[in-house]
C-alpha cells in the first residue's frame, strides 16, 4: 500500500514569490537542499540530501505559479512531490502532497516516518527565505 504526506502552509507573499522559492536553486538550497531544479516539464535534476545521498528527480508538471510536480528519489523511494499554490488574500496557501511511499518496504516506511516529521519544519523556513531574498519580485 502507498502512503502520502499532505501539508498546507500559508505564506504571506504572492504566488510569484512562493513559486520562485520552490523553483530557484539558490533559494531552495536555503530552505531545503541543494539541487539543479528548474520549472520545466521533462527536466531531470538531482537534489543533494546529505547523508541520504544525491537523489534523482524528474519534473512532471510546471504550471507557473500554480502547480509544480516532480518524481523524487527515482530508483530509491520513487515518490512524487506535488506543490500547489493557491492565492489567498495577499498571500499564498502552499499545499504539499508527498505521495507514493511504499509501506511494504523498510526504506519506504523509514522515509515516510522521517519526512512526516521533517516536512512541517522544512515548510516553515520558506517564508523566512522569501523575506530575506531581496531580488524576488
Amino acid at each position: 500500500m502507498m502512503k502520502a504526506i499532505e501539508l498546507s502552509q500559508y505564506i504571506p507573499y504572492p504566488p510569484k514569490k512562493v513559486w520562485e522559492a520552490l523553483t530557484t536553486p539558490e533559494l531552495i538550497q536555503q530552505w531545503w537542499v541543494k539541487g539543479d531544479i528548474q520549472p520545466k516539464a521533462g527536466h531531470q535534476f538531482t537534489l543533494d540530501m546529505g547523508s541520504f545521498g544525491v537523489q534523482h528527480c524528474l519534473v512532471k508538471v510546471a504550471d507557473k505559479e500554480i502547480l509544480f510536480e516532480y518524481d523524487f528519489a527515482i530508483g530509491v523511494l520513487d515518490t512524487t512531490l506535488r506543490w500547489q499554490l493557491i492565492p489567498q488574500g495577499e498571500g499564498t496557501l502552499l499545499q504539499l502532497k508527498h505521495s507514493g511511499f511504499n509501506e511494504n518496504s523498510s526504506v519506504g516506511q523509514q522515509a515516510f516516518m522521517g519526512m512526516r516529521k521533517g516536512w512541517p519544519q522544512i515548510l516553515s523556513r520558506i517564508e523566512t527565505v522569501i523575506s530575506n531574498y531581496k531580488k524576488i519580485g
Side-chain angles (χ1 to χ4, degrees), residues 74-94:
I74 296 168
V76 180
L77 287 179
D78 292 315
T79 58
T80 300
L81 286 172
R82 178 185 172 95
W83 303 94
Q84 190 151 11
L85 291 72
I86 301 165
Q88 216 173 59
E90 297 290 305
T92 305
L93 181 65
L94 178 62

Side-chain angles (χ1 to χ4, degrees), residues 11-106:
I11 300 172
Y13 291 95
K16 177 183 193 297
K17 294 188 177 194
V18 177
W19 178 261
E20 289 188 29
L22 293 175
T23 62
T24 306
E26 64 264 30
L27 292 180
I28 200 171
Q29 180 178 339
Q30 290 176 44
W31 63 265
W32 188 26
V33 291
K34 187 174 182 174
D36 54 341
I37 199 162
Q38 278 181 33
K40 232 172 22 192
H43 175 66
Q44 294 181 38
F45 64 100
T46 57
L47 294 174
D48 184 349
M49 305 301 295
S51 61
F52 296 104
V54 172
Q55 301 301 328
H56 293 270
C57 305
L58 173 67
V59 177
K60 292 163 74 169
V61 181
D63 192 353
K64 191 172 182 182
E65 297 172 22
I66 298 169
L67 180 66
F68 189 42
E69 183 175 321
Y70 49 90
D71 290 331
F72 174 74
I74 296 168
V76 180
L77 287 179
D78 292 315
T79 58
T80 300
L81 286 172
R82 178 185 172 95
W83 303 94
Q84 190 151 11
L85 291 72
I86 301 165
Q88 216 173 59
E90 297 290 305
T92 305
L93 181 65
L94 178 62
Q95 294 183 325
L96 165 65
K97 182 174 185 181
H98 190 171
S99 61
F101 291 96
N102 183 352
E103 67 176 1
N104 294 325
S105 83
S106 61

Side-chain angles (χ1 to χ4, degrees), residues 108-125:
Q109 286 176 3
Q110 287 173 346
F112 178 79
M113 298 302 283
M115 290 178 171
R116 192 171 63 181
K117 286 188 189 121
W119 272 124
Q121 298 166 332
I122 292 165
L123 284 185
S124 71
R125 297 196 286 253

